[in-house]
Amino acid sequence: GVSTSVQDASTSGHSGATVNSVTKSGSNAFHGDAFEFVRNYAVNARDFFATGQDGLKRNQFGGTVGGPIKKDKIFFFLGYQGTTVRQTPISSVAFVPTAQMLQGDFTAFESPACNNGVQKTLLAPFGTNGLAANTIAVSALSPAALNIASRLPTPVNACGKTLFGNITHENDNQAPVRIDYQINDKQMLFARYLITNQQLAVPYSLSKNPLDESTPGFNDQSQSFALGDTYTINANMVNSLRASVNRVASLKLGADMFGAPNVGIHMFSYLPNYLQTVVTGEFTLGSTTKDAFAYQTSFGANDDFSIVHGSHLFAFGGYYTRANNNLLAQAFADGQFQFGSTTGST
């Protein structure tokens, strides 16, 4: 459940909302279930601006089983859920250099046909040294920029328009395990373990299109282990003791493509063979999160003691938590570059 109102003493120290989850327990009878949910592009409508179907295939499946290990004493519960997503959207638009532009001729790109009926004229050095307006000598173009442009997709028209989308290839898996031990009428123990893994393939590894690398892949895994003891002192007094360990490992993945030194930019790169590429009206390269990681481990314990007296409920308790974090951001590790911001083509 989610509590967003005033918190009681057992959740003091937490501002905002509190989320509580409950894992099912086994019983004296064996029970189980299985499920699957499917979405498929074959029965979906096409996005309004897309030129074709997005190829969405989403499957969510799993099941649970629970029962006795020892009747009236020890019980187990197991669960599993898997999700696979495959999608190839092509609804994002970018404008990349055409073959004419790579030869120094920007005439078509700056024409009314490519600028909502407005003729544009690029600033100097375009149109200087006897050259026509919106043209420039190839020797004046950045060799690094030409190298990068040669790796971009071929445009579909003279304006440089291209359609792309981050290919999604995701696999998610989750499994809870719980054991309950009824010691006697007054005391019950439980142990619970939950593991979740989420993997998203690097889009560039599937499409080989540098524009798809604006979104990195990831490989994230979280684990949670808890032990609990509930002791009923009498009909009006209950004590609950809990201990837990949580571990989250998150890794942001990037493509093995090309880096600044590979295209003629003379610099040292902390991330070889990588240079995040974003193309809108101009090129923006670098400033990435490739191979960034976060490892977080927390552990703690809490004890809650409650007393019912007449129409009143009194609760006492305390908790201890400790967390360790190990983070690497990789911010700006591949450099940061822009091309096209001073030509007047805005």
Side-chain angles (χ1 to χ4, degrees):
V2 180
S3 176
T4 59
S5 58
V6 178
Q7 309 297 310
D8 59 29
S10 65
T11 57
S12 63
H14 299 278
S15 60
T18 299
V19 178
N20 296 304
S21 60
V22 178
T23 305
K24 288 184 177 181
S25 302
S27 63
N28 276 328
F30 286 99
H31 294 282
D33 60 63
F35 63 89
E36 180 171 10
F37 302 98
V38 178
R39 291 182 61 193
N40 193 286
Y41 72 95
V43 292
N44 289 348
R46 176 171 58 87
D47 288 345
F48 183 79
F49 293 103
T51 58
Q53 290 282 6
D54 60 7
L56 174 63
K57 296 179 180 179
R58 186 180 189 275
N59 291 76
Q60 188 175 22
F61 49 89
T64 63
V65 62
I69 298 176
K70 183 177 180 180
K71 188 176 181 180
D72 295 329
K73 282 292 185 180
I74 306 176
F75 312 94
F76 76 94
F77 179 84
L78 304 174
Y80 169 75
Q81 176 176 292
T83 303
T84 62
V85 181
R86 305 292 184 267
Q87 190 172 18
T88 310
I90 50 174
S91 56
S92 296
V93 178
F95 290 88
V96 299
T98 64
Q100 279 184 306
M101 295 165 68
L102 296 179
Q103 295 300 315
D105 185 355
F106 288 68
T107 305
F109 184 72
E110 300 301 335
S111 69
C114 297
N115 293 279
N116 296 319
V118 178
Q119 174 65 53
K120 292 188 175 183
T121 302
L122 296 176
L123 303 176
F126 286 88
T128 60
N129 299 321
L131 295 174
N134 294 326
T135 63
I136 191 172
V138 175
S139 60
L141 298 177
S142 165
L146 292 174
N147 194 319
I148 295 170
S150 68
R151 303 167 187 264
L152 297 174
T154 302
V156 298
N157 61 22
C159 302
K161 180 179 179 181
T162 185
L163 296 173
F164 70 100
N166 291 321
I167 297 177
T168 299
H169 190 138
E170 182 176 353
N171 296 319
D172 301 337
N173 296 280
Q174 185 177 74
V177 181
R178 175 166 172 149
I179 301 293
D180 291 272
Y181 177 30
Q182 188 71 45
I183 298 176
N184 50 48
D185 292 341
K186 290 182 174 292
Q187 190 172 14
M188 188 271 288
L189 300 176
F190 79 86
R192 184 202 65 220
Y193 175 73
L194 174 67
I195 182 170
T196 302
N197 182 264
Q198 295 180 296
Q199 296 179 328
L200 179 69
V202 177
Y204 177 82
S205 68
L206 303 172
S207 69
K208 303 304 179 183
N209 183 350
L211 299 183
D212 288 338
E213 187 47 25
S214 59
T215 299
F218 57 77
N219 185 357
D220 300 340
Q221 180 169 283
S222 63
Q223 301 177 76
S224 175
F225 178 73
L227 290 172
D229 175 89
T230 301
Y231 187 78
T232 303
I233 301 173
N234 57 43
N236 299 319
M237 298 182 184
V238 177
N239 188 81
S240 297
L241 176 65
R242 303 288 186 267
S244 63
V245 178
N246 299 294
R247 168 76 169 172
V248 177
S250 176
L251 177 62
K252 299 303 179 186
L253 307 173
D256 186 11
M257 44 191 295
F258 62 87
N262 301 119
V263 297
I265 300 174
H266 301 295
M267 60 167 282
F268 174 78
S269 175
Y270 288 92
L271 292 174
N273 302 320
Y274 188 76
L275 189 63
Q276 188 181 64
T277 306
V278 179
V279 178
T280 51
E282 55 193 41
F283 288 77
T284 301
L285 302 103
S287 180
T288 185
T289 57
K290 180 195 176 184
D291 295 343
F293 62 78
Y295 301 109
Q296 300 172 305
T297 303
S298 63
F299 54 90
N302 64 280
D303 188 84
D304 297 303
F305 179 68
S306 60
I307 302 174
V308 176
H309 182 71
S311 60
H312 301 281
L313 171 64
F314 299 92
F316 308 89
Y319 67 89
Y320 171 80
T321 300
R322 179 178 175 83
N324 296 321
N325 299 307
N326 184 13
L327 311 173
L328 177 66
Q330 292 283 30
F332 307 106
D334 57 343
Q336 188 174 31
F337 312 91
Q338 279 192 337
F339 298 91
S341 60
T342 60
T343 63
S345 180
T346 58

